[in-house]
Amino acid sequence: MYDQPRTAPSRTAMTFDQMLERVRYEGAYPTRERAEEAVHHVLAALGRQVTGDERVELAGCLPIEAALALTAQIPDAEQLTGWGFVKDLAARTGGTPATARWDTGAVLTVVSRLAGPDLLARILHQLPGGYALLFGQAQLQQPQHAA
């Protein structure tokens, strides 16, 4: 038997158009363009926070257009908390913190599905507190031991 050439597996199970439709649904955006704007802004902001192998793996899980928005950013020297992330996004986009939080939740909920639970756990472990809720996950507190 001869080995048949195999095509490389797709980078993601979702196209960019499918991702935009999912974000549009999650965020209840009136247009595809509004969903695309949210995707680009939120992924650019996330690209300033996530570093190392997790950044590379996350980019590999996203449709190419979304991966480019994530990786086009140079990571910041100082990571922001989840709330700091939302406030920074609002300042950069000229929106309100409420709108930035809405956009973040709509986009990162879809990103969390594409990343899967293992990669998402590693990303959340790398980031300061407050990001789990942005990704649509429970924010579990570490038990405090008496000194």
Side-chain angles (χ1 to χ4, degrees):
M1 295 250 169
Y2 296 101
D3 286 334
Q4 295 294 319
R6 296 182 184 172
T7 58
S10 67
R11 290 171 38 102
T12 181
M14 189 179 284
T15 67
F16 189 61
D17 286 337
Q18 290 169 329
M19 181 182 188
L20 291 179
E21 283 306 311
R22 193 75 217 150
V23 169
R24 183 177 176 193
Y25 175 80
E26 290 289 336
Y29 297 116
T31 65
R32 180 185 185 279
E33 291 75 23
R34 180 63 186 92
E36 186 170 5
E37 181 181 296
V39 167
H40 283 288
H41 287 306
V42 172
L43 289 179
L46 187 62
R48 291 187 288 276
Q49 300 301 309
V50 178
T51 61
D53 291 340
E54 290 77 14
R55 177 184 172 99
V56 173
E57 286 183 49
L58 180 58
C61 295
L62 299 174
I64 189 73
E65 298 90 336
L68 290 173
L70 176 84
T71 59
Q73 302 301 311
I74 296 171
D76 287 341
E78 186 175 327
Q79 288 183 318
L80 301 171
T81 64
W83 176 237
F85 178 89
V86 170
K87 290 191 307 186
D88 182 65
L89 181 62
R92 288 176 186 266
T93 61
T96 66
T99 301
R101 172 62 182 93
W102 185 270
D103 291 347
T104 300
V107 174
L108 295 185
T109 296
V110 175
V111 168
S112 71
R113 290 186 200 124
L114 290 170
D118 294 336
L119 177 56
L120 182 59
R122 290 184 11 240
I123 290 169
L124 290 175
H125 181 72
Q126 180 190 98
L127 294 169
Y131 281 87
L133 292 174
L134 299 178
F135 279 95
Q137 306 294 307
Q139 179 76 43
L140 302 177
Q141 298 295 321
Q142 297 294 326
Q144 299 296 318
H145 298 287

